């Protein structure tokens, strides 16, 4: 029993050496037993000191951000990929097109010049000077610009013009120059030209679909602008400047020539070829003149004309004519109206212009003294001749002319026995009869013959 116990004890001692009350493991293992404990205490102390030092020196925001990104960079990478996958389509398909469209909508495209010239019944020579303004440098591909009337319910362009490639940066001039275009809708063109003639200003609408490049990016836009330009305002200021009778008449019947003023108050120059005009006194047609190669830049335009004055109609209807001139003659003037008769380019009638001008009337008011002087100088060429003799030679009826002058003050008679000539004179209003009107006529003759 005893030996067994000892064996067990010795076994216990070998595997588990005794320790002292102070934690020693016996005499032989004291140093070895205590050495590891001391090393562990030193390491713990060092870590504790480092932690205290780290706690005493806080990280900067930049250091914290770098440490944060270093830990979670892959999360941010995934988030950036997802965000770009969402935003890029929105940027390219929504935001950039919206910016470009806003720039197009803000364009004013003021028209500062240009021309519309008829070259055939179906073609026009068109020039337009305008400008585009962009805060971003851009390139625009060649495109077609459609001209139309905005007041027409259905979009119906009347001509199309082509634009070349454009490079826009800031305010950039846009010059469409001398393009021969085909009339695509004559009815709409007539409607627009009618407003050009009748109104002081007219609107011109344009529409196109440009493809715009912003560097490497490109997008499609829609341009639809309406601008206001000055127009003809019924040729306000039209007047016959001078008039000369040709005696004898030329073989083609031409017996009158002179100059007239065709003012253009508009922004666009107009070319309409050879323009024939009816000369009217009231509703009575008393002549036909032609103005050649009519091209009307902005401002007054003095143009030569010639034609035929219907002298037989004029003197056979002297009473009717004088009756329609009552208001004008009371102020010492003669009023001559003109309406369109024909518009011809290269021997072809320009229907869309004739449709407009043949239904419009312009009025010229000329001093009786000046008109009489111009007409009489046609006969005399400044020489001392007898006016009744000239009238007798031209009209073959001196007696009638003398009767007109002698009966200027005649009162209206209801007697059926009154002669036809006296009835014509009696129908003239009192405002155009009397010594004043006769004096004006005599004054014109005296000025021409040098007796005044």
């Amino acid at each position: 029993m005893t030996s067994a116990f000892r064996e067990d004890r010795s076994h216990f001692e070998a595997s588990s050496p005794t320790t002292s009350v102070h934690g020693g493991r016996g005499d032989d293992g004291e140093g070895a037993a205590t050495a590891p404990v001391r090393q562990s205490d030193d390491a713990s102390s060092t870590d504790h000191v480092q932690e205290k030092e780290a706690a005493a020196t806080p990280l900067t925001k930049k250091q914290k951000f770098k440490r944060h990104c270093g830990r979670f960079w892959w999360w941010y990478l995934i988030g950036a990929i997802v965000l770009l996958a969402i935003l890029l389509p929105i940027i390219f398909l929504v935001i950039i097109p919206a910016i470009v469209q806003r720039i197009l909508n803000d364009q004013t495209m003021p028209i500062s010049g240009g021309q519309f010239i008829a070259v055939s019944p179906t073609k026009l020579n068109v020039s337009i000077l305008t400008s585009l303004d962009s805060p971003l440098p851009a390139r625009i591909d060649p495109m077609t610009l459609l001209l139309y009337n905005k007041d027409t319910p259905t979009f119906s362009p009347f001509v199309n013009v082509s634009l070349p490639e454009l490079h826009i940066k800031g305010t950039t001039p846009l010059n469409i120059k001398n393009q021969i275009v085909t009339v695509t809708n004559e009815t709409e063109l007539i409607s627009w030209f009618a407003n050009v003639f009748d109104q002081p200003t007219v609107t011109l609408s344009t529409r196109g679909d440009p493809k715009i490049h912003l560097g490497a990016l490109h997008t499609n836009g829609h341009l639809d602008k309406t601008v206001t330009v000055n127009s003809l305002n019924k040729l306000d200021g039209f007047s016959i400047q001078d008039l000369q009778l040709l005696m004898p008449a030329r073989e083609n019947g031409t017996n009158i020539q002179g100059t007239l003023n065709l003012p253009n108050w508009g922004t666009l120059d107009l070319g309409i070829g050879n323009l024939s005009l009816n000369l009217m006194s009231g509703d009575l047609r008393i002549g036909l003149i032609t103005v050649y190669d009519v091209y009307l830049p902005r401002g007054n335009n003095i143009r030569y004309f010639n034609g035929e004055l219907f002298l037989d109609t004029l003197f056979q209807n002297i009473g009717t004519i004088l009756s329609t001139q009552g208001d004008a003659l009371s102020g010492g003037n003669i009023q001559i109206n003109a309406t369109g008769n024909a518009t011809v380019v290269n021997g072809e009638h320009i229907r869309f212009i004739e449709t407009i001008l043949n239904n419009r009337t312009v009025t010229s008011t000329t001093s009786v003294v000046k008109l009489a002087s111009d007409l009489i100088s046609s006969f005399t060429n400044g020489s001392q001749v007898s006016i009744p003799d000239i009238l007798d030679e031209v009209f073959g009826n001196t007696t009638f002319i003398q009767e007109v002058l002698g009966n200027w003050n005649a009162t209206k008679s209801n007697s059926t026995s009154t002669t036809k000539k006296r009835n014509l004179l009696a129908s003239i209003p009192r405002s155009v009869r009397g010594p004043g009107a006769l004096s004006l006529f005599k004054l014109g003759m005296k000025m021409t013959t040098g007796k005044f």
Side-chain angles (χ1 to χ4, degrees), residues 30-63:
E30 182 177 0
T34 58
V37 173
R38 289 174 182 173
Q39 291 174 358
S40 176
D41 290 343
D42 292 341
S44 297
S45 298
T46 301
D47 291 342
H48 186 64
V49 170
Q50 289 176 350
E51 290 178 358
K52 285 184 177 181
E53 289 177 354
T57 307
L59 298 175
T60 64
K61 291 182 179 181
K62 184 176 181 180
Q63 290 172 332

Side-chain angles (χ1 to χ4, degrees), residues 26-305:
D27 294 338
D28 296 336
E30 182 177 0
T34 58
V37 173
R38 289 174 182 173
Q39 291 174 358
S40 176
D41 290 343
D42 292 341
S44 297
S45 298
T46 301
D47 291 342
H48 186 64
V49 170
Q50 289 176 350
E51 290 178 358
K52 285 184 177 181
E53 289 177 354
T57 307
L59 298 175
T60 64
K61 291 182 179 181
K62 184 176 181 180
Q63 290 172 332
K64 290 180 179 179
F65 178 74
K66 290 178 64 176
R67 185 177 68 176
H68 178 77
C69 292
R71 291 178 180 177
F72 301 103
W73 65 269
W74 51 279
W75 286 108
Y76 285 110
L77 178 61
I78 294 173
I81 293 173
V82 173
L83 186 63
L84 289 175
I86 296 173
L87 290 181
L88 287 178
I90 296 176
I91 291 173
F92 289 108
L93 299 178
V94 179
I95 296 177
I96 292 179
I99 293 173
V100 170
Q101 189 59 52
R102 179 60 182 270
I103 293 174
L104 290 174
N105 293 341
D106 289 343
Q107 297 300 312
T108 57
M109 294 184 66
I111 295 179
S112 55
Q115 64 182 17
F116 278 74
I117 301 175
V119 296
S120 80
T122 59
K123 293 186 181 296
L124 289 168
N125 183 333
V126 175
S127 297
I128 297 176
L129 181 59
T130 181
S131 63
L132 295 173
D133 188 10
S134 172
L136 302 175
R139 176 171 59 88
I140 302 178
D141 286 350
M143 70 170 181
T144 299
L145 200 61
L146 312 178
L147 277 59
Y148 72 100
N149 295 314
K150 71 169 185 176
D151 296 328
T152 301
T154 304
F155 175 66
S156 303
F158 50 84
V159 294
N160 306 334
V161 296
S162 298
L163 298 184
E165 181 178 272
L166 302 172
H167 294 268
I168 308 299
K169 185 177 181 181
T171 301
T172 305
L174 173 58
N175 190 3
I176 303 169
K177 189 173 182 180
N178 294 328
Q179 287 195 17
I180 305 300
V181 300
T182 300
V183 177
T184 57
N185 190 317
E186 188 177 271
T187 301
E188 287 299 304
L189 181 60
I190 290 172
S191 176
W192 184 72
F193 259 121
N195 290 330
V196 169
F197 183 87
D198 292 336
Q199 306 298 328
T201 59
V202 66
T203 58
L204 178 62
S205 298
T206 58
R207 182 179 294 185
D209 296 302
K211 185 175 183 179
I212 301 173
H213 301 267
L214 301 173
L217 304 176
H218 68 269
T219 184
N220 295 321
H222 180 68
L223 180 66
D224 196 343
K225 301 303 297 183
T226 297
V227 297
T228 299
V229 295
N230 294 330
S231 51
L232 291 179
N233 193 24
K234 298 181 179 179
L235 290 176
D236 184 30
F238 169 83
S239 62
I240 297 175
Q241 299 292 297
D242 59 79
L243 191 65
Q244 180 184 6
L245 283 174
L246 302 176
M247 291 297 166
R250 296 171 182 170
E251 292 182 0
N252 61 1
T254 299
N255 64 0
I256 189 175
Q257 66 180 9
T259 58
L260 49 75
N261 180 31
L262 293 172
N264 181 1
W265 300 94
T267 303
L268 301 173
D269 299 347
L270 299 178
I272 57 177
N274 296 337
L275 174 63
S276 295
L277 298 171
N278 299 311
L279 298 183
M280 311 288 293
S281 179
D283 296 329
L284 183 65
R285 184 167 176 256
I286 60 174
L288 175 65
I289 62 174
T290 300
V291 190
Y292 299 92
D293 296 325
V294 176
Y295 179 77
L296 306 178
R298 195 180 314 184
N300 290 321
N301 299 279
I302 307 301
R303 293 291 180 267
Y304 168 83
F305 72 86

